[in-house]
Amino acid sequence: MSTEPDMDQIRIVLVRPSHPGNIGAAARAMKNMGLKQLVLVAPEAFPSDVATARASGAEDVLINAPICDRLEHAISDCHHVVTTTARNRSLQWDNVDARKAANQVIRQSRQGQVAVVFGPERTGLSNQEIELSHQLVHIPVNDDFSSMNLAAAVMLMCYELRMAFIDEPESYISESEIEKKATSGQVEGFIQHLHEIMAQIGFLTNKPSDRLMGRIRRLYNRSHMSEQDVNIMRGILAGIQSRIKR
Ligand code: SAH
């Protein structure tokens, strides 16, 4: 019987990777560290012989990787989403290093699907994409040269995940954590519902709503809503809507 850690609830998401070589190298790094679930969002060139060559032995990870056109779709069933970033965007974020993030990812993965998201080589992720996460992870490298190669960043995160798992194979989950966390898709459904009502009551007239909705999304993601929290909030929104109709 294999003694390999079971980290099947953890997916690695690469958003708009431009170099197929990085996709292959990321798959290889993942398999070395015992992770299998790779999801690609709008890769520039995939499938690709270059990716397959760089995977050298981890082709199964590539073959099984679903391809999505948007990050929202890649994480909609995840209740915990951490995003790696080359820049330290400290202000409104829960910002942690790779080791702390890995510990939490392992704990959260005992309750359902969890995603670790990586951005494109040239630009990193957009603010709208970053707003979908619960936590930002910055690998504290040389401040004067902080951008790592994408596949190297994947390797480092996967190594920390493996170490966190080995340190705490059966980590204890407290009572308060047992309440079922809402998935990214459920929270997004609530935010869309709220947006609809804001439009109905004229709150959004003449104002571009993207920044405001981004702020609201960050606010709710910070609070890590449970399924029940989402149901309560949506119940209130439905009540407001039926009052408006009357
Ligand atoms: N020029 C981009 C760099 C992107 S590097 C920028 O400034 O954002 C590609 C991806 O590798 C990043 O989006 C992130 O997912 C990961 N990465 C690179 N350096 C990192 C670091 N120091 N900490 C965490 N992730 C990093």
Side-chain angles (χ1 to χ4, degrees):
M1 206 180 85
S2 168
T3 52
E4 269 304 302
D6 178 1
M7 294 192 281
D8 285 355
Q9 310 254 65
I10 304 172
R11 75 185 64 163
I12 300 292
V13 182
L14 303 187
V15 181
R16 296 188 301 283
S18 52
H19 299 298
N22 277 336
I23 302 177
R28 183 177 185 177
M30 285 174 60
K31 193 167 174 182
N32 283 147
M33 294 298 130
L35 286 124
K36 297 183 214 139
Q37 315 293 337
L38 174 65
V39 179
L40 300 171
V41 176
E44 260 178 45
F46 191 80
S48 139
D49 291 346
V50 179
T52 307
R54 286 289 294 278
S56 59
E59 294 87 345
D60 51 330
V61 175
L62 294 181
I63 289 166
N64 293 321
I67 301 181
C68 303
D69 53 357
R70 294 172 63 84
L71 175 58
E72 286 89 326
H73 302 155
I75 59 171
S76 65
D77 59 333
C78 295
H79 71 277
H80 186 66
V81 178
V82 302
T83 299
T84 58
T85 112
R87 282 164 281 173
N88 218 338
R89 311 186 202 221
S90 51
L91 287 175
Q92 308 104 336
W93 290 102
D94 181 11
N95 241 288
V96 293
D97 64 31
R99 191 154 299 169
K100 287 209 188 79
N103 277 310
Q104 291 187 32
V105 166
I106 293 294
R107 284 176 72 82
Q108 293 289 345
S109 71
R110 308 207 188 280
Q111 289 188 61
Q113 293 288 323
V114 171
V116 184
V117 180
F118 293 82
E121 294 89 334
R122 281 190 292 270
T123 55
L125 293 158
S126 69
N127 286 337
Q128 281 91 336
E129 287 167 330
I130 288 180
E131 278 154 15
L132 297 167
S133 47
H134 294 102
Q135 198 168 53
L136 293 193
V137 189
H138 178 67
I139 300 164
V141 284
N142 176 358
D143 272 346
D144 299 327
F145 188 60
S146 66
S147 172
M148 296 172 74
N149 165 261
L150 171 59
V154 171
M155 175 47 117
L156 194 136
M157 269 314 297
C158 292
Y159 169 75
E160 290 294 347
L161 289 167
R162 187 173 179 86
M163 293 308 286
F165 187 93
I166 290 169
D167 276 355
E168 226 183 330
E170 301 291 336
S171 66
Y172 170 75
I173 297 176
S174 67
E175 281 292 312
S176 65
E177 280 178 291
I178 286 171
E179 195 183 10
K180 210 158 181 265
K181 296 266 164 55
T183 63
S184 185
Q186 288 165 334
V187 174
E188 204 47 40
F190 159 63
I191 303 275
Q192 292 311 327
H193 196 170
L194 184 61
H195 184 256
E196 223 174 84
I197 290 184
M198 288 163 77
Q200 277 175 354
I201 62 172
F203 192 82
L204 299 174
T205 334
N206 300 330
K207 286 185 226 154
S209 61
D210 284 3
R211 279 178 76 119
L212 177 63
M213 293 319 290
R215 242 197 127 86
I216 292 175
R217 188 172 280 115
R218 282 205 300 274
L219 166 68
Y220 283 104
N221 276 340
R222 265 204 306 275
S223 75
H224 232 134
M225 295 172 91
S226 67
E227 279 188 356
Q228 206 184 348
D229 295 332
V230 171
N231 289 339
I232 291 169
M233 296 308 289
R234 290 202 69 161
I236 295 172
L237 296 182
I240 296 174
Q241 261 173 331
S242 71
R243 256 320 245 274
I244 296 173
K245 275 199 198 113
R246 268 191 263 148

